[in-house]
Each structure stands twice: as structure tokens, then as C-alpha cells.
PDB file of all heavy atoms in Angstrom:
ATOM      1  N   LEU O  10      -8.535   8.571  -1.549  1.00 90.00           N
ATOM      2  CA  LEU O  10      -7.174   8.418  -2.061  1.00 90.00           C
ATOM      3  C   LEU O  10      -7.008   9.192  -3.358  1.00 90.00           C
ATOM      4  O   LEU O  10      -5.941   9.773  -3.608  1.00 90.00           O
ATOM      5  CB  LEU O  10      -6.860   6.934  -2.264  1.00 90.00           C
ATOM      6  CG  LEU O  10      -6.965   6.046  -1.022  1.00 90.00           C
ATOM      7  CD1 LEU O  10      -6.505   4.627  -1.339  1.00 90.00           C
ATOM      8  CD2 LEU O  10      -6.159   6.621   0.132  1.00 90.00           C
ATOM      9  N   ASP O  11      -8.047   9.210  -4.207  1.00 88.00           N
ATOM     10  CA  ASP O  11      -8.000  10.010  -5.429  1.00 88.00           C
ATOM     11  C   ASP O  11      -7.709  11.468  -5.097  1.00 88.00           C
ATOM     12  O   ASP O  11      -6.953  12.147  -5.801  1.00 88.00           O
ATOM     13  CB  ASP O  11      -9.332   9.924  -6.185  1.00 88.00           C
ATOM     14  CG  ASP O  11      -9.589   8.552  -6.780  1.00 88.00           C
ATOM     15  OD1 ASP O  11      -8.605   7.813  -6.993  1.00 88.00           O
ATOM     16  OD2 ASP O  11     -10.755   8.224  -7.026  1.00 88.00           O
ATOM     17  N   ALA O  12      -8.318  11.946  -4.023  1.00 89.00           N
ATOM     18  CA  ALA O  12      -8.180  13.346  -3.653  1.00 89.00           C
ATOM     19  C   ALA O  12      -6.760  13.685  -3.223  1.00 89.00           C
ATOM     20  O   ALA O  12      -6.353  14.851  -3.286  1.00 89.00           O
ATOM     21  CB  ALA O  12      -9.161  13.684  -2.526  1.00 89.00           C
ATOM     22  N   LEU O  13      -5.985  12.692  -2.812  1.00 91.00           N
ATOM     23  CA  LEU O  13      -4.611  12.930  -2.375  1.00 91.00           C
ATOM     24  C   LEU O  13      -3.605  12.852  -3.512  1.00 91.00           C
ATOM     25  O   LEU O  13      -2.464  13.309  -3.378  1.00 91.00           O
ATOM     26  CB  LEU O  13      -4.214  11.895  -1.312  1.00 91.00           C
ATOM     27  CG  LEU O  13      -4.951  11.932   0.034  1.00 91.00           C
ATOM     28  CD1 LEU O  13      -4.576  10.705   0.854  1.00 91.00           C
ATOM     29  CD2 LEU O  13      -4.616  13.208   0.793  1.00 91.00           C
ATOM     30  N   MET O  14      -4.007  12.282  -4.658  1.00 89.00           N
ATOM     31  CA  MET O  14      -3.061  11.951  -5.711  1.00 89.00           C
ATOM     32  C   MET O  14      -2.350  13.167  -6.294  1.00 89.00           C
ATOM     33  O   MET O  14      -1.151  13.129  -6.577  1.00 89.00           O
ATOM     34  CB  MET O  14      -3.759  11.182  -6.834  1.00 89.00           C
ATOM     35  CG  MET O  14      -4.190   9.779  -6.446  1.00 89.00           C
ATOM     36  SD  MET O  14      -2.813   8.688  -6.017  1.00 89.00           S
ATOM     37  CE  MET O  14      -2.043   8.500  -7.630  1.00 89.00           C
ATOM     38  N   SER O  15      -3.076  14.264  -6.500  1.00 86.00           N
ATOM     39  CA  SER O  15      -2.478  15.404  -7.187  1.00 86.00           C
ATOM     40  C   SER O  15      -1.318  16.002  -6.408  1.00 86.00           C
ATOM     41  O   SER O  15      -0.336  16.462  -6.988  1.00 86.00           O
ATOM     42  CB  SER O  15      -3.533  16.480  -7.460  1.00 86.00           C
ATOM     43  OG  SER O  15      -4.094  16.940  -6.253  1.00 86.00           O
ATOM     44  N   GLU O  16      -1.404  15.975  -5.085  1.00 89.00           N
ATOM     45  CA  GLU O  16      -0.357  16.592  -4.265  1.00 89.00           C
ATOM     46  C   GLU O  16       0.664  15.576  -3.752  1.00 89.00           C
ATOM     47  O   GLU O  16       1.844  15.896  -3.613  1.00 89.00           O
ATOM     48  CB  GLU O  16      -0.991  17.319  -3.087  1.00 89.00           C
ATOM     49  CG  GLU O  16       0.012  18.101  -2.241  1.00 89.00           C
ATOM     50  CD  GLU O  16      -0.662  19.011  -1.230  1.00 89.00           C
ATOM     51  OE1 GLU O  16      -1.905  19.127  -1.273  1.00 89.00           O
ATOM     52  OE2 GLU O  16       0.060  19.601  -0.406  1.00 89.00           O
ATOM     53  N   TYR O  17       0.222  14.353  -3.499  1.00 91.00           N
ATOM     54  CA  TYR O  17       1.101  13.394  -2.842  1.00 91.00           C
ATOM     55  C   TYR O  17       1.351  12.135  -3.672  1.00 91.00           C
ATOM     56  O   TYR O  17       1.976  11.192  -3.179  1.00 91.00           O
ATOM     57  CB  TYR O  17       0.495  12.974  -1.493  1.00 91.00           C
ATOM     58  CG  TYR O  17       0.270  14.112  -0.539  1.00 91.00           C
ATOM     59  CD1 TYR O  17      -1.009  14.631  -0.333  1.00 91.00           C
ATOM     60  CD2 TYR O  17       1.330  14.690   0.155  1.00 91.00           C
ATOM     61  CE1 TYR O  17      -1.229  15.684   0.546  1.00 91.00           C
ATOM     62  CE2 TYR O  17       1.130  15.742   1.027  1.00 91.00           C
ATOM     63  CZ  TYR O  17      -0.163  16.233   1.225  1.00 91.00           C
ATOM     64  OH  TYR O  17      -0.358  17.272   2.087  1.00 91.00           O
ATOM     65  N   GLY O  18       0.893  12.107  -4.912  1.00 89.00           N
ATOM     66  CA  GLY O  18       1.041  10.919  -5.731  1.00 89.00           C
ATOM     67  C   GLY O  18       2.482  10.628  -6.118  1.00 89.00           C
ATOM     68  O   GLY O  18       3.374  11.483  -6.003  1.00 89.00           O
ATOM     69  N   THR O  19       2.726   9.414  -6.600  1.00 89.00           N
ATOM     70  CA  THR O  19       4.053   8.978  -7.029  1.00 89.00           C
ATOM     71  C   THR O  19       3.975   8.516  -8.482  1.00 89.00           C
ATOM     72  O   THR O  19       2.933   8.624  -9.126  1.00 89.00           O
ATOM     73  CB  THR O  19       4.544   7.815  -6.146  1.00 89.00           C
ATOM     74  OG1 THR O  19       3.738   6.655  -6.417  1.00 89.00           O
ATOM     75  CG2 THR O  19       4.455   8.173  -4.663  1.00 89.00           C
ATOM     76  N   ASP O  20       5.086   7.971  -8.979  1.00 85.00           N
ATOM     77  CA  ASP O  20       5.091   7.451 -10.352  1.00 85.00           C
ATOM     78  C   ASP O  20       4.207   6.215 -10.490  1.00 85.00           C
ATOM     79  O   ASP O  20       3.772   5.877 -11.584  1.00 85.00           O
ATOM     80  CB  ASP O  20       6.521   7.107 -10.778  1.00 85.00           C
ATOM     81  CG  ASP O  20       7.389   8.341 -10.954  1.00 85.00           C
ATOM     82  OD1 ASP O  20       6.822   9.437 -11.140  1.00 85.00           O
ATOM     83  OD2 ASP O  20       8.628   8.224 -10.896  1.00 85.00           O
ATOM     84  N   ILE O  21       3.948   5.507  -9.389  1.00 87.00           N
ATOM     85  CA  ILE O  21       3.051   4.348  -9.405  1.00 87.00           C
ATOM     86  C   ILE O  21       1.671   4.864  -9.021  1.00 87.00           C
ATOM     87  O   ILE O  21       1.355   5.036  -7.840  1.00 87.00           O
ATOM     88  CB  ILE O  21       3.509   3.258  -8.428  1.00 87.00           C
ATOM     89  CG1 ILE O  21       4.988   2.917  -8.641  1.00 87.00           C
ATOM     90  CG2 ILE O  21       2.644   2.014  -8.577  1.00 87.00           C
ATOM     91  CD1 ILE O  21       5.310   2.370 -10.005  1.00 87.00           C
ATOM     92  N   THR O  22       0.831   5.124 -10.012  1.00 86.00           N
ATOM     93  CA  THR O  22      -0.450   5.795  -9.767  1.00 86.00           C
ATOM     94  C   THR O  22      -1.643   4.841  -9.748  1.00 86.00           C
ATOM     95  O   THR O  22      -2.755   5.263  -9.448  1.00 86.00           O
ATOM     96  CB  THR O  22      -0.702   6.865 -10.846  1.00 86.00           C
ATOM     97  OG1 THR O  22      -0.742   6.233 -12.138  1.00 86.00           O
ATOM     98  CG2 THR O  22       0.398   7.916 -10.833  1.00 86.00           C
ATOM     99  N   ASP O  23      -1.415   3.564 -10.076  1.00 86.00           N
ATOM    100  CA  ASP O  23      -2.534   2.632 -10.214  1.00 86.00           C
ATOM    101  C   ASP O  23      -2.957   2.049  -8.861  1.00 86.00           C
ATOM    102  O   ASP O  23      -2.212   2.081  -7.878  1.00 86.00           O
ATOM    103  CB  ASP O  23      -2.137   1.477 -11.145  1.00 86.00           C
ATOM    104  CG  ASP O  23      -1.701   1.978 -12.503  1.00 86.00           C
ATOM    105  OD1 ASP O  23      -2.564   2.440 -13.252  1.00 86.00           O
ATOM    106  OD2 ASP O  23      -0.487   1.924 -12.802  1.00 86.00           O
ATOM    107  N   ASP O  24      -4.174   1.486  -8.836  1.00 86.00           N
ATOM    108  CA  ASP O  24      -4.633   0.751  -7.664  1.00 86.00           C
ATOM    109  C   ASP O  24      -3.720  -0.456  -7.444  1.00 86.00           C
ATOM    110  O   ASP O  24      -3.284  -1.100  -8.403  1.00 86.00           O
ATOM    111  CB  ASP O  24      -6.062   0.258  -7.866  1.00 86.00           C
ATOM    112  CG  ASP O  24      -7.054   1.404  -8.023  1.00 86.00           C
ATOM    113  OD1 ASP O  24      -6.702   2.539  -7.652  1.00 86.00           O
ATOM    114  OD2 ASP O  24      -8.171   1.142  -8.510  1.00 86.00           O
ATOM    115  N   CYS O  25      -3.463  -0.765  -6.194  1.00 88.00           N
ATOM    116  CA  CYS O  25      -2.542  -1.854  -5.882  1.00 88.00           C
ATOM    117  C   CYS O  25      -3.089  -2.753  -4.775  1.00 88.00           C
ATOM    118  O   CYS O  25      -3.870  -2.309  -3.927  1.00 88.00           O
ATOM    119  CB  CYS O  25      -1.191  -1.307  -5.418  1.00 88.00           C
ATOM    120  SG  CYS O  25      -0.296  -0.308  -6.622  1.00 88.00           S
ATOM    121  N   ALA O  26      -2.653  -4.006  -4.799  1.00 86.00           N
ATOM    122  CA  ALA O  26      -2.846  -4.929  -3.686  1.00 86.00           C
ATOM    123  C   ALA O  26      -1.472  -5.103  -3.053  1.00 86.00           C
ATOM    124  O   ALA O  26      -0.558  -5.658  -3.661  1.00 86.00           O
ATOM    125  CB  ALA O  26      -3.380  -6.267  -4.187  1.00 86.00           C
ATOM    126  N   PHE O  27      -1.304  -4.585  -1.844  1.00 89.00           N
ATOM    127  CA  PHE O  27       0.006  -4.477  -1.198  1.00 89.00           C
ATOM    128  C   PHE O  27       0.032  -5.391   0.021  1.00 89.00           C
ATOM    129  O   PHE O  27      -0.845  -5.328   0.880  1.00 89.00           O
ATOM    130  CB  PHE O  27       0.228  -3.024  -0.771  1.00 89.00           C
ATOM    131  CG  PHE O  27       1.562  -2.738  -0.148  1.00 89.00           C
ATOM    132  CD1 PHE O  27       2.613  -2.295  -0.920  1.00 89.00           C
ATOM    133  CD2 PHE O  27       1.751  -2.878   1.216  1.00 89.00           C
ATOM    134  CE1 PHE O  27       3.843  -2.013  -0.356  1.00 89.00           C
ATOM    135  CE2 PHE O  27       2.971  -2.598   1.799  1.00 89.00           C
ATOM    136  CZ  PHE O  27       4.023  -2.160   1.011  1.00 89.00           C
ATOM    137  N   LEU O  28       1.058  -6.262   0.108  1.00 87.00           N
ATOM    138  CA  LEU O  28       1.153  -7.172   1.236  1.00 87.00           C
ATOM    139  C   LEU O  28       2.477  -6.992   1.962  1.00 87.00           C
ATOM    140  O   LEU O  28       3.540  -6.923   1.348  1.00 87.00           O
ATOM    141  CB  LEU O  28       1.010  -8.622   0.779  1.00 87.00           C
ATOM    142  CG  LEU O  28       0.950  -9.656   1.922  1.00 87.00           C
ATOM    143  CD1 LEU O  28      -0.035 -10.776   1.577  1.00 87.00           C
ATOM    144  CD2 LEU O  28       2.323 -10.271   2.206  1.00 87.00           C
ATOM    145  N   HIS O  29       2.408  -6.923   3.285  1.00 84.00           N
ATOM    146  CA  HIS O  29       3.604  -6.960   4.129  1.00 84.00           C
ATOM    147  C   HIS O  29       3.225  -7.693   5.410  1.00 84.00           C
ATOM    148  O   HIS O  29       2.056  -7.929   5.692  1.00 84.00           O
ATOM    149  CB  HIS O  29       4.114  -5.543   4.425  1.00 84.00           C
ATOM    150  CG  HIS O  29       3.260  -4.777   5.378  1.00 84.00           C
ATOM    151  ND1 HIS O  29       3.494  -4.746   6.734  1.00 84.00           N
ATOM    152  CD2 HIS O  29       2.147  -4.026   5.181  1.00 84.00           C
ATOM    153  CE1 HIS O  29       2.585  -3.998   7.330  1.00 84.00           C
ATOM    154  NE2 HIS O  29       1.745  -3.547   6.413  1.00 84.00           N
ATOM    155  N   HIS O  30       4.225  -8.058   6.196  1.00 75.00           N
ATOM    156  CA  HIS O  30       3.891  -8.795   7.412  1.00 75.00           C
ATOM    157  C   HIS O  30       4.684  -8.285   8.615  1.00 75.00           C
ATOM    158  O   HIS O  30       5.030  -9.061   9.512  1.00 75.00           O
ATOM    159  CB  HIS O  30       4.083 -10.302   7.220  1.00 75.00           C
ATOM    160  CG  HIS O  30       5.399 -10.685   6.600  1.00 75.00           C
ATOM    161  ND1 HIS O  30       6.609 -10.465   7.215  1.00 75.00           N
ATOM    162  CD2 HIS O  30       5.679 -11.253   5.404  1.00 75.00           C
ATOM    163  CE1 HIS O  30       7.583 -10.912   6.440  1.00 75.00           C
ATOM    164  NE2 HIS O  30       7.057 -11.382   5.335  1.00 75.00           N
ATOM    165  N   ASN O  31       4.967  -6.992   8.630  1.00 69.00           N
ATOM    166  CA  ASN O  31       5.560  -6.339   9.802  1.00 69.00           C
ATOM    167  C   ASN O  31       6.849  -6.999  10.279  1.00 69.00           C
ATOM    168  O   ASN O  31       7.130  -7.048  11.470  1.00 69.00           O
ATOM    169  CB  ASN O  31       4.555  -6.300  10.959  1.00 69.00           C
ATOM    170  CG  ASN O  31       3.748  -5.019  10.984  1.00 69.00           C
ATOM    171  OD1 ASN O  31       4.073  -4.070  10.267  1.00 69.00           O
ATOM    172  ND2 ASN O  31       2.704  -4.965  11.779  1.00 69.00           N
ATOM    173  N   GLY O  32       7.629  -7.517   9.352  1.00 64.00           N
ATOM    174  CA  GLY O  32       8.910  -8.103   9.720  1.00 64.00           C
ATOM    175  C   GLY O  32       8.826  -9.495  10.290  1.00 64.00           C
ATOM    176  O   GLY O  32       9.834 -10.058  10.714  1.00 64.00           O
ATOM    177  N   HIS O  33       7.629 -10.081  10.297  1.00 64.00           N
ATOM    178  CA  HIS O  33       7.471 -11.440  10.826  1.00 64.00           C
ATOM    179  C   HIS O  33       7.503 -12.443   9.675  1.00 64.00           C
ATOM    180  O   HIS O  33       7.679 -12.089   8.517  1.00 64.00           O
ATOM    181  CB  HIS O  33       6.163 -11.554  11.602  1.00 64.00           C
ATOM    182  CG  HIS O  33       6.130 -10.679  12.821  1.00 64.00           C
ATOM    183  ND1 HIS O  33       6.551 -11.096  14.055  1.00 64.00           N
ATOM    184  CD2 HIS O  33       5.737  -9.384  12.972  1.00 64.00           C
ATOM    185  CE1 HIS O  33       6.421 -10.113  14.925  1.00 64.00           C
ATOM    186  NE2 HIS O  33       5.924  -9.065  14.293  1.00 64.00           N
ATOM    187  N   GLY O  34       7.322 -13.708   9.989  1.00 60.00           N
ATOM    188  CA  GLY O  34       7.371 -14.736   8.967  1.00 60.00           C
ATOM    189  C   GLY O  34       6.160 -14.715   8.062  1.00 60.00           C
ATOM    190  O   GLY O  34       5.173 -14.014   8.307  1.00 60.00           O
ATOM    191  N   VAL O  35       6.235 -15.492   6.981  1.00 55.00           N
ATOM    192  CA  VAL O  35       5.135 -15.584   6.033  1.00 55.00           C
ATOM    193  C   VAL O  35       3.867 -16.044   6.754  1.00 55.00           C
ATOM    194  O   VAL O  35       3.907 -16.930   7.606  1.00 55.00           O
ATOM    195  CB  VAL O  35       5.485 -16.557   4.893  1.00 55.00           C
ATOM    196  CG1 VAL O  35       4.278 -16.769   3.984  1.00 55.00           C
ATOM    197  CG2 VAL O  35       6.651 -16.023   4.092  1.00 55.00           C
ATOM    198  N   ASP O  36       2.746 -15.417   6.406  1.00 55.00           N
ATOM    199  CA  ASP O  36       1.441 -15.724   6.993  1.00 55.00           C
ATOM    200  C   ASP O  36       1.379 -15.424   8.497  1.00 55.00           C
ATOM    201  O   ASP O  36       0.556 -15.977   9.219  1.00 55.00           O
ATOM    202  CB  ASP O  36       1.043 -17.188   6.746  1.00 55.00           C
ATOM    203  CG  ASP O  36       0.826 -17.469   5.273  1.00 55.00           C
ATOM    204  OD1 ASP O  36       0.430 -16.529   4.561  1.00 55.00           O
ATOM    205  OD2 ASP O  36       1.059 -18.606   4.845  1.00 55.00           O
ATOM    206  N   THR O  37       2.259 -14.550   8.952  1.00 61.00           N
ATOM    207  CA  THR O  37       2.234 -14.106  10.343  1.00 61.00           C
ATOM    208  C   THR O  37       2.098 -12.588  10.354  1.00 61.00           C
ATOM    209  O   THR O  37       2.932 -11.884   9.800  1.00 61.00           O
ATOM    210  CB  THR O  37       3.518 -14.505  11.089  1.00 61.00           C
ATOM    211  OG1 THR O  37       3.686 -15.919  10.983  1.00 61.00           O
ATOM    212  CG2 THR O  37       3.445 -14.111  12.554  1.00 61.00           C
ATOM    213  N   GLU O  38       1.037 -12.088  10.961  1.00 66.00           N
ATOM    214  CA  GLU O  38       0.759 -10.650  11.004  1.00 66.00           C
ATOM    215  C   GLU O  38       0.704 -10.051   9.594  1.00 66.00           C
ATOM    216  O   GLU O  38       1.252  -8.993   9.328  1.00 66.00           O
ATOM    217  CB  GLU O  38       1.784  -9.905  11.861  1.00 66.00           C
ATOM    218  CG  GLU O  38       1.605 -10.132  13.349  1.00 66.00           C
ATOM    219  CD  GLU O  38       2.278  -9.056  14.183  1.00 66.00           C
ATOM    220  OE1 GLU O  38       2.331  -7.898  13.743  1.00 66.00           O
ATOM    221  OE2 GLU O  38       2.730  -9.392  15.280  1.00 66.00           O
ATOM    222  N   ASN O  39       0.055 -10.753   8.688  1.00 72.00           N
ATOM    223  CA  ASN O  39      -0.094 -10.227   7.334  1.00 72.00           C
ATOM    224  C   ASN O  39      -0.969  -8.979   7.323  1.00 72.00           C
ATOM    225  O   ASN O  39      -1.955  -8.900   8.052  1.00 72.00           O
ATOM    226  CB  ASN O  39      -0.739 -11.269   6.416  1.00 72.00           C
ATOM    227  CG  ASN O  39       0.259 -12.308   5.956  1.00 72.00           C
ATOM    228  OD1 ASN O  39       1.454 -12.072   5.964  1.00 72.00           O
ATOM    229  ND2 ASN O  39      -0.250 -13.464   5.573  1.00 72.00           N
ATOM    230  N   HIS O  40      -0.621  -8.051   6.467  1.00 79.00           N
ATOM    231  CA  HIS O  40      -1.463  -6.897   6.197  1.00 79.00           C
ATOM    232  C   HIS O  40      -1.608  -6.811   4.684  1.00 79.00           C
ATOM    233  O   HIS O  40      -0.630  -6.658   3.956  1.00 79.00           O
ATOM    234  CB  HIS O  40      -0.843  -5.615   6.751  1.00 79.00           C
ATOM    235  CG  HIS O  40      -0.825  -5.574   8.244  1.00 79.00           C
ATOM    236  ND1 HIS O  40      -1.801  -4.950   8.985  1.00 79.00           N
ATOM    237  CD2 HIS O  40       0.040  -6.112   9.124  1.00 79.00           C
ATOM    238  CE1 HIS O  40      -1.534  -5.084  10.267  1.00 79.00           C
ATOM    239  NE2 HIS O  40      -0.413  -5.788  10.383  1.00 79.00           N
ATOM    240  N   TYR O  41      -2.839  -6.935   4.219  1.00 82.00           N
ATOM    241  CA  TYR O  41      -3.111  -6.962   2.783  1.00 82.00           C
ATOM    242  C   TYR O  41      -3.950  -5.729   2.473  1.00 82.00           C
ATOM    243  O   TYR O  41      -5.161  -5.724   2.641  1.00 82.00           O
ATOM    244  CB  TYR O  41      -3.867  -8.238   2.434  1.00 82.00           C
ATOM    245  CG  TYR O  41      -3.663  -8.727   1.028  1.00 82.00           C
ATOM    246  CD1 TYR O  41      -3.930 -10.056   0.701  1.00 82.00           C
ATOM    247  CD2 TYR O  41      -3.212  -7.889   0.012  1.00 82.00           C
ATOM    248  CE1 TYR O  41      -3.751 -10.535  -0.583  1.00 82.00           C
ATOM    249  CE2 TYR O  41      -3.035  -8.353  -1.263  1.00 82.00           C
ATOM    250  CZ  TYR O  41      -3.302  -9.680  -1.560  1.00 82.00           C
ATOM    251  OH  TYR O  41      -3.131 -10.137  -2.832  1.00 82.00           O
ATOM    252  N   LEU O  42      -3.287  -4.673   2.008  1.00 86.00           N
ATOM    253  CA  LEU O  42      -3.941  -3.385   1.822  1.00 86.00           C
ATOM    254  C   LEU O  42      -4.372  -3.167   0.377  1.00 86.00           C
ATOM    255  O   LEU O  42      -3.602  -3.412  -0.554  1.00 86.00           O
ATOM    256  CB  LEU O  42      -3.009  -2.244   2.232  1.00 86.00           C
ATOM    257  CG  LEU O  42      -2.433  -2.280   3.646  1.00 86.00           C
ATOM    258  CD1 LEU O  42      -1.511  -1.087   3.864  1.00 86.00           C
ATOM    259  CD2 LEU O  42      -3.548  -2.282   4.677  1.00 86.00           C
ATOM    260  N   ALA O  43      -5.587  -2.687   0.202  1.00 87.00           N
ATOM    261  CA  ALA O  43      -6.056  -2.227  -1.104  1.00 87.00           C
ATOM    262  C   ALA O  43      -5.929  -0.714  -1.106  1.00 87.00           C
ATOM    263  O   ALA O  43      -6.567  -0.031  -0.303  1.00 87.00           O
ATOM    264  CB  ALA O  43      -7.503  -2.635  -1.337  1.00 87.00           C
ATOM    265  N   GLY O  44      -5.097  -0.176  -1.987  1.00 90.00           N
ATOM    266  CA  GLY O  44      -4.902   1.273  -1.980  1.00 90.00           C
ATOM    267  C   GLY O  44      -3.883   1.712  -2.994  1.00 90.00           C
ATOM    268  O   GLY O  44      -3.796   1.152  -4.085  1.00 90.00           O
ATOM    269  N   ARG O  45      -3.052   2.716  -2.603  1.00 92.00           N
ATOM    270  CA  ARG O  45      -2.082   3.291  -3.538  1.00 92.00           C
ATOM    271  C   ARG O  45      -0.811   3.721  -2.815  1.00 92.00           C
ATOM    272  O   ARG O  45      -0.797   3.929  -1.604  1.00 92.00           O
ATOM    273  CB  ARG O  45      -2.682   4.505  -4.249  1.00 92.00           C
ATOM    274  CG  ARG O  45      -3.868   4.176  -5.137  1.00 92.00           C
ATOM    275  CD  ARG O  45      -4.000   5.172  -6.257  1.00 92.00           C
ATOM    276  NE  ARG O  45      -5.204   4.902  -7.028  1.00 92.00           N
ATOM    277  CZ  ARG O  45      -6.238   5.720  -7.109  1.00 92.00           C
ATOM    278  NH1 ARG O  45      -6.222   6.864  -6.457  1.00 92.00           N
ATOM    279  NH2 ARG O  45      -7.302   5.405  -7.833  1.00 92.00           N
ATOM    280  N   PHE O  46       0.242   3.887  -3.627  1.00 94.00           N
ATOM    281  CA  PHE O  46       1.495   4.431  -3.116  1.00 94.00           C
ATOM    282  C   PHE O  46       1.423   5.955  -3.084  1.00 94.00           C
ATOM    283  O   PHE O  46       0.890   6.588  -4.008  1.00 94.00           O
ATOM    284  CB  PHE O  46       2.661   4.019  -4.018  1.00 94.00           C
ATOM    285  CG  PHE O  46       3.077   2.591  -3.878  1.00 94.00           C
ATOM    286  CD1 PHE O  46       2.594   1.630  -4.757  1.00 94.00           C
ATOM    287  CD2 PHE O  46       3.950   2.205  -2.873  1.00 94.00           C
ATOM    288  CE1 PHE O  46       2.983   0.308  -4.637  1.00 94.00           C
ATOM    289  CE2 PHE O  46       4.341   0.882  -2.742  1.00 94.00           C
ATOM    290  CZ  PHE O  46       3.854  -0.069  -3.624  1.00 94.00           C
ATOM    291  N   PHE O  47       1.984   6.539  -2.015  1.00 94.00           N
ATOM    292  CA  PHE O  47       2.071   7.993  -1.885  1.00 94.00           C
ATOM    293  C   PHE O  47       3.456   8.369  -1.373  1.00 94.00           C
ATOM    294  O   PHE O  47       4.234   7.513  -0.931  1.00 94.00           O
ATOM    295  CB  PHE O  47       1.008   8.505  -0.900  1.00 94.00           C
ATOM    296  CG  PHE O  47      -0.396   8.338  -1.377  1.00 94.00           C
ATOM    297  CD1 PHE O  47      -1.140   7.220  -1.028  1.00 94.00           C
ATOM    298  CD2 PHE O  47      -0.983   9.299  -2.192  1.00 94.00           C
ATOM    299  CE1 PHE O  47      -2.438   7.052  -1.477  1.00 94.00           C
ATOM    300  CE2 PHE O  47      -2.285   9.144  -2.647  1.00 94.00           C
ATOM    301  CZ  PHE O  47      -3.014   8.020  -2.288  1.00 94.00           C
TER     302      PHE O  47
END
């Protein structure tokens, strides 16, 4: 991910814990990603 930052990075450059659930209810199909915004 570091290697992608120079070309595809955004204003939010820090490591993040990102959660979404694919449009389903809370605790249903959760995806908890460790990574970055691009």
C-alpha cells in the first residue's frame, strides 16, 4: 500500500480501520479492513 501512495494517495494518508457491511444490517456481512484510502 505504501508503494501505491505516491500515485494514488488521497488527503487521508494514515493507516485506517475501515468498516462497512455491504448494505446489510449491523453485524451482518461486516468487512473490517486494515488499510488506506486511495
Side-chain angles (χ1 to χ4, degrees):
L10 301 185
D11 291 337
L13 294 171
M14 291 297 291
S15 60
E16 185 170 353
Y17 301 103
T19 69
D20 291 339
I21 309 298
T22 60
D23 303 289
D24 297 343
C25 298
F27 183 93
L28 186 143
H29 72 93
H30 48 65
N31 267 349
H33 296 270
V35 174
D36 295 330
T37 304
E38 286 200 33
N39 281 338
H40 291 264
Y41 207 160
L42 304 179
R45 296 207 185 115
F46 286 96
F47 293 94

